[in-house]
Amino acid sequence: MKKILFDINIVLDYYSITRRKKYPESIKAYELALERDDVYPYISTSAISNIEFLKHGVLKREKPEFTFKERKIIIIEMIKEILKYFKLASTPSYIVFDYDDIENSQIIASANAIDAQVVTRDKAMLAKYQNVAITPQIFLAQVKKQTQKIDFANLKKQYYDLQPQIAKQMDDVLNATSFIMGDKIIQLESELQEFTQAKHAITCSSGTDALLLAMMAMDVRPGDEIITTPFTFIATAETIALMKAIPVFIDIEEDTLNIDATKIVAAITDKTKAIMPVSIYGQPSDMDEINGIAKKYNLKVIIDGAQSFGATYKKQMEVHHCDIYTTSFFPAKPLGCYGDGGAVFTNNDDYAEKIKKLRIHGQSKRYHHQYIGMGGRFDTLQAAVLLVKLPLYAKEITLRQNVAESYCKKLSVQTSSLIIPMIKNDRTSVWAQYTIRTPERDNLQEKLKQHGIPTAIHYPMPLHQQKCFQYLNQKTSLKIAEKVVKEVVSLPMNPYVTETEQERIAHVICQ
Ligand SMILES: *Cc1c(COP(=O)(O)O)cnc(C)c1O
């Protein structure tokens, strides 16, 4: 990935008949930047008015017969096209001006702010800013050498695409200096409700805190037992333990890697308070079976949906299949903000009212505290990011599903020991991860690494074997969880994985 800011001279070369002939390298650089997925082209905001002014001069020389108005029409079309192809990089307020060359120092400052190089023919700029400014020739050589590196979550691509809208939303917050709660949080919560059709969506400080808030709302007490899966991120069971409750781990299903609902009843005691399934990699668990058991034994159901926001079970979002559903907006989750964040969803008015208080220190009215709560609010700046991303999320889920489908097709042709993920047909996954299994996991991971393909292990150790949970004295072994931790490997997964990248990845896996 390479960010590149084009200086005015290159842009004018591209749009001038005489200059195109004289500076063919400029044209090649311009075209390559637009063509390559891994080059992110920018133009400095400070350049736009100069481009207009200079283009009048170029046109006057090339087309002396044109009137001012005719030139103006051509220039407007040209600038529109430039703005379609390039993102604007603004001059940052912390610019260091070079008063001998204000124009160039603005361009350099714009480039430095976004960590881009400047492509230019300007000799003075090339001499003065040797680390930043490069010629079109050097740019072409660098990009040709650049191997198309595959990105695991590709947050950079998404930020490049959404940067103007996100900047606008964040500027609103910064200029209003309204950093805690406020209209943006209210708006986001209402959009989250709409998206999930949940009666209540309550944002909070993280997916971990969402779990704590859910358990606090249910009045989980010390010694209560909560039945959950050992094949998950630590936060699932860590929060149970933080509540001084006891995580009771049972084994998972071999095909979905979610909690095995048929093993729940055997784990129920008179201390059991709730069941906490985790929608691992984005796929819901067997919710009908789990809810049936919960009803019979009078237990609560909390879904840890940190990986599954937007997934459906029998055509409905998961919030409709539990007492409380929680999710995370950690950057690498399917719907991520730019820091920590999460949300709690419920159709239960009492829980919702309590959770809203719990997230502000159990406060019922200012400085009056009804419950022991926590500082669990979602940052308004993060809400600003999600207000841009949420409207695009349904489409991103589809893109993720397409990527997953294409992986499955490409990888299922091979007959070796590879196991590809399986989604039950009454539910959908949002593919937080695309995770395959093979007994040769470590070799495969190494091989992929050598080909520049990043992978990750979710997760290398089941929770009942973690040091921090040894005090639980878990006696029975959980065979499937213990086996799959040695076999799982997650492949690059995000909405922008291309067909070519998938072919490259599949080729390495199948060779
Ligand atoms: C990420 C994750 C969490 C924690 O979310 P944070 O927002 O990082 O606190 C909890 N459970 C699962 C299954 C997760 O994947």
Side-chain angles (χ1 to χ4, degrees):
M1 195 274 297
K2 192 182 194 67
K3 290 183 189 167
I4 205 80
L5 190 142
F6 279 83
D7 195 6
I8 302 170
N9 47 49
I10 310 288
V11 175
L12 290 174
D13 291 350
Y14 184 80
Y15 287 100
S16 146
I17 310 156
T18 42
R19 290 169 67 152
R20 282 180 82 91
K21 290 203 189 98
K22 206 159 159 200
Y23 305 109
E25 303 292 333
S26 296
I27 317 311
K28 276 191 203 148
Y30 190 103
E31 282 171 350
L32 187 70
L34 299 188
E35 190 182 294
R36 285 275 294 237
D37 287 341
D38 56 345
V39 175
Y40 296 170
Y42 291 85
I43 189 149
S44 170
T45 39
S46 66
I48 298 295
S49 54
N50 283 336
I51 287 177
E52 182 188 13
F53 173 77
L54 292 168
K55 184 69 184 176
H56 269 290
V58 174
L59 279 174
K60 263 191 210 162
R61 264 175 273 124
E62 288 182 351
K63 301 273 181 193
E65 71 277 16
F66 282 8
T67 63
F68 175 83
K69 212 171 154 195
E70 285 167 328
R71 292 201 304 269
K72 184 87 187 170
I73 291 168
I74 293 171
I75 290 167
I76 288 171
E77 286 312 308
M78 181 185 90
I79 290 177
K80 276 189 189 161
E81 185 170 298
I82 293 168
L83 294 178
K84 202 163 81 195
Y85 294 154
F86 295 81
K87 281 277 173 339
L88 284 173
S90 58
T91 310
S93 51
Y94 45 86
I95 179 178
V96 180
F97 275 106
D98 170 0
Y99 289 98
D100 293 329
D101 193 346
I102 289 178
E103 185 185 328
N104 275 351
S105 65
Q106 268 182 288
I107 287 175
I108 293 293
S110 304
N112 281 339
I114 55 168
D115 198 24
Q117 285 180 301
V118 180
V119 178
T120 183
R121 287 192 292 99
D122 183 329
K123 296 233 162 59
M125 189 191 280
L126 287 162
K128 191 159 191 172
Y129 303 99
Q130 286 181 13
N131 299 324
V132 188
I134 55 174
T135 62
Q137 286 87 341
I138 290 174
F139 168 69
L140 288 165
Q142 284 181 355
V143 173
K144 273 178 196 141
K145 256 202 335 229
Q146 181 173 320
T147 48
Q148 299 247 10
K149 233 180 120 200
I150 297 177
D151 197 296
F152 194 81
N154 218 348
L155 301 180
K156 289 197 170 92
K157 156 93 177 135
Q158 189 187 51
Y159 179 59
Y160 178 78
D161 289 347
L162 303 180
Q163 195 275 340
Q165 295 101 296
I166 287 173
K168 159 84 178 70
Q169 281 284 341
M170 287 193 132
D171 276 353
D172 285 352
V173 178
L174 294 172
N175 287 314
T177 60
S178 161
F179 302 119
I180 300 292
M181 304 307 277
D183 292 347
K184 288 212 190 292
I185 297 279
I186 293 168
Q187 191 192 337
L188 177 65
E189 289 181 343
S190 122
E191 289 182 22
L192 287 167
Q193 275 163 27
E194 184 142 333
F195 186 84
T196 54
Q197 294 296 305
K199 204 160 171 206
H200 305 279
I202 303 148
T203 56
C204 66
S205 37
S206 70
T208 305
D209 290 345
L211 289 166
L212 280 176
L213 287 166
M215 284 184 276
M216 287 159 89
M218 289 178 174
D219 223 2
V220 168
R221 299 264 167 201
D224 284 350
E225 293 176 1
I226 297 184
I227 298 170
T228 190
T229 162
F231 189 65
T232 175
F233 179 61
I234 185 72
T236 311
E238 175 191 45
T239 49
I240 296 173
L242 272 174
M243 297 296 294
K244 300 266 185 272
I246 299 161
V248 176
F249 299 112
I250 63 170
D251 212 353
I252 55 173
E253 296 180 322
E254 171 103 46
D255 51 3
T256 64
L257 309 185
N258 275 331
I259 193 167
D260 185 343
T262 64
K263 302 213 167 97
I264 292 174
V265 171
I268 293 175
T269 71
D270 55 5
K271 298 263 186 57
T272 308
K273 169 92 180 178
I275 309 169
M276 192 187 283
V278 176
S279 313
I280 202 77
Y281 307 147
Q283 171 173 214
S285 307
D286 289 338
M287 294 318 300
D288 278 356
E289 290 78 356
I290 292 170
N291 285 314
I293 297 164
K295 197 161 174 216
K296 187 163 168 200
Y297 293 89
N298 195 22
L299 307 175
K300 305 290 179 208
V301 176
I302 303 171
I303 298 179
D304 178 351
Q307 304 182 8
S308 70
F309 186 65
T312 59
Y313 179 82
K314 303 203 166 163
K315 301 207 154 55
Q316 279 181 314
M317 300 248 170
E318 291 172 278
V319 56
H320 305 290
H321 296 277
C322 60
D323 294 289
I324 300 183
Y325 172 84
T326 66
T327 199
S328 164
F329 301 130
F330 184 80
K333 307 283 176 170
L335 179 64
C337 59
Y338 291 166
D340 278 309
V344 186
F345 298 80
T346 183
N347 291 331
N348 179 311
D349 297 339
D350 296 333
Y351 286 152
E353 198 189 314
K354 191 167 172 189
I355 290 164
K356 280 182 196 162
K357 289 174 186 164
L358 288 168
R359 88 174 150 179
I360 42 166
H361 307 285
Q363 181 170 285
S364 47
K365 105 184 167 195
R366 195 157 204 192
Y367 304 133
H368 290 72
H369 303 272
Q370 185 179 351
Y371 308 110
I372 302 292
M374 61 194 282
R377 292 167 302 236
F378 190 42
D379 277 0
T380 309
L381 272 171
Q382 299 304 338
V385 173
L386 288 191
L387 281 172
V388 177
K389 290 178 65 165
L390 183 58
L392 309 168
Y393 186 53
K395 186 157 165 250
E396 286 191 348
I397 293 175
T398 309
L399 291 173
R400 282 178 176 275
Q401 289 168 341
N402 294 345
V403 169
E405 200 180 311
S406 166
Y407 265 135
C408 287
K409 270 200 202 113
K410 290 184 168 59
L411 296 175
S412 61
V413 296
Q414 75 130 29
T415 50
S416 77
S417 53
L418 198 75
I419 301 172
I420 59 173
M422 176 273 199
I423 307 297
K424 294 192 181 175
N425 56 24
D426 57 358
R427 61 202 80 172
T428 61
S429 174
V430 294
W431 298 98
Q433 305 298 343
Y434 185 89
T435 307
I436 56 174
R437 283 168 56 198
T438 165
E440 301 289 301
R441 193 261 311 279
D442 294 347
N443 289 340
L444 179 63
Q445 197 179 22
E446 184 54 36
K447 199 162 72 171
L448 287 163
K449 189 176 164 196
Q450 279 167 9
H451 286 81
I453 298 160
T455 56
I457 308 293
H458 305 100
Y459 296 89
M461 193 193 277
L463 296 193
H464 65 286
Q465 291 182 334
Q466 297 284 351
K467 194 166 176 201
C468 66
F469 285 129
Q470 289 321 296
Y471 74 93
L472 292 172
N473 266 320
Q474 169 106 18
K475 299 243 166 47
T476 47
S477 66
L478 305 172
K479 294 239 158 48
I480 299 173
E482 286 161 25
K483 180 176 74 166
V484 301
V485 294
K486 300 194 190 87
E487 299 179 343
V488 287
V489 55
S490 304
L491 303 180
M493 171 47 88
N494 59 72
Y496 318 105
V497 182
T498 64
E499 192 65 22
T500 330
E501 287 174 332
Q502 288 193 298
E503 262 153 30
R504 252 180 75 194
I505 295 164
H507 181 75
V508 176
I509 293 172
C510 297
Q511 79 192 3

